[in-house]
Amino acid sequence: MTVGALLNKYRKEAEYHDISLLLCELLDCPFLTLSLRKEEELSDRLLENFYTNYARLRNKEPVQYIIGKACFYGLEFSVSPEVLIPRPETEGLIELALQFIPENAKVLDIGTGSGTIAVTLKTLRPDLTLVATDISASALKIAKQNADYNNCAISFYQTDLYPETEDSFDFIISNPPYISPSDYAKLDTRIKEYEPKLALWAEENGLIFYRRILKEAKSKLKPEGLIFFEHGDEQRQNIIHLAETYGWETILIKDDLAGYPRYLGFK
C-alpha cells in the first residue's frame, strides 16, 4: 500500500489530521512534506506499527501521547501522560507576558509541567534567567529533556509552588491547575482518562493555587515585580477579588482568541 492510498482510506474520518500525524511520525517526515510522498510504498512493518497506533487513536488516546511529542509556539516538546498536552491558549499567555517582562529579568514559572512556558520564554528571550518549579518529579524529568532539546539553560526545582531559595524575581508566570472538582467530572473522557489529574484538579472551586501563589508572591517578587496567570473562563472576577485581598493591583485583563476570559496580570 502507498502513502497516498492509506491517506485516502481515512480521508473522511474526523481524526484525519491526527492520522496524518501518526504517519508522519512513522515516516520521520514533516507534516507539510507528507503530500510529496504519496507514491511511496509502505513496508509491512510500518503498516503494522501504523495500525497499532491507529487503534490507540480510535480508543481516544491523544495523538500527542501516541507519538510522544507536541508542537507549541513553533517548538517541539516531548510529552507523556505525566504532563498536560500544551494548549494554544497558553501561547497567548506568553505573547502577553513578553510585552511586560523587562530585559535581563529573572522569571519564575510555577507549575511548569512539560516546560513549555519556561523553554519558550528562554528561546524567545535568551537574556532572561528562567527558574521553573513543579511538584511532580515525572513532569520535571520531561521538562528538563525539553530544555536540553531546545538548548535552554533553566533551573528546575521539585517543590510545591515556590523554590526554597532566597532569590527574588522580576516576573512570575503560571498556568496552574484550575479545574474544580465539579467541572472535572464534566470534562471530556479523553482528558480524564489520559491527562494527569494532578495538573488539572484544584480545590476551592479551582482557585486554591491562585490564592496560594498570590498570598506568597509579595515575598518572592522584587518591588516592581509582576505576576501573570492563565485561568478558567469563569474564574476572572474571583481571582481579581483574591488578588485585591492580598494587596495586588490588576494591570492586565485579556480574553483568548476564542473570546473567553483567560489572562490576568497583577503588580
Side-chain angles (χ1 to χ4, degrees), residues 51-250:
Y51 288 124
T52 297
N53 289 340
Y54 176 70
R56 294 170 64 185
L57 190 67
R58 290 303 302 270
N59 201 37
K60 304 301 183 183
E61 184 174 352
V63 67
Q64 293 90 345
Y65 290 155
I66 299 174
I67 65 176
K69 62 186 179 183
C71 183
F72 180 85
Y73 221 106
L75 302 172
E76 183 179 302
F77 290 87
S78 295
V79 293
S80 77
E82 282 77 29
V83 297
L84 289 181
I85 297 165
R87 266 68 171 180
E89 292 84 1
T90 307
E91 294 182 351
L93 177 64
I94 289 173
E95 290 175 1
L96 292 169
L98 287 170
Q99 300 173 35
F100 288 82
I101 301 176
E103 288 187 10
N104 302 310
K106 190 162 192 174
V107 180
L108 172 62
D109 172 26
I110 296 177
T112 194
S114 62
T116 50
I117 291 177
V119 169
T120 302
L121 285 176
K122 185 64 177 177
T123 300
L124 296 174
R125 290 279 303 277
D127 62 294
L128 302 179
T129 299
L130 263 296
V131 176
T133 67
D134 205 287
I135 198 169
S136 167
S138 298
L140 283 175
K141 182 178 180 180
I142 294 171
K144 290 174 183 177
Q145 291 173 355
N146 285 323
D148 290 343
Y149 179 80
N150 288 284
N151 298 311
C152 293
I154 298 170
S155 298
F156 291 99
Y157 294 89
Q158 183 184 358
T159 184
D160 186 10
L161 302 186
Y162 290 99
E164 295 181 1
T165 67
E166 299 301 320
D167 294 343
S168 293
F169 299 95
D170 299 285
F171 199 95
I172 293 173
I173 188 168
S174 184
N175 176 23
Y178 58 71
I179 307 298
S180 68
S182 59
D183 286 338
Y184 185 84
K186 303 172 189 174
L187 287 178
D188 186 283
T189 302
R190 179 177 301 193
I191 297 175
K192 288 192 291 185
E193 286 190 359
Y194 290 102
E195 300 204 54
K197 184 177 181 179
L198 181 66
L200 294 164
W201 174 288
E203 297 288 352
E204 298 181 14
N205 292 319
L207 299 173
I208 185 171
F209 294 107
Y210 297 106
R211 178 181 61 77
R212 292 182 58 210
I213 292 170
L214 288 164
K215 182 179 180 180
E216 298 182 46
K218 289 285 187 182
S219 64
K220 302 295 183 180
L221 279 171
K222 295 178 182 177
E224 301 301 318
L226 305 176
I227 182 166
F228 274 40
F229 288 124
E230 181 177 332
H231 62 82
D233 56 20
E234 297 181 354
Q235 296 175 321
R236 174 173 287 170
Q237 292 306 315
N238 287 330
I239 296 172
I240 291 174
H241 177 71
L242 277 174
E244 291 174 348
T245 299
Y246 293 113
W248 295 92
E249 176 187 345
T250 305

Side-chain angles (χ1 to χ4, degrees), residues 1-12:
M1 181 181 291
T2 65
V3 170
L6 185 64
L7 289 173
N8 285 333
K9 180 178 178 181
Y10 298 103
R11 188 166 299 278
K12 294 184 179 181

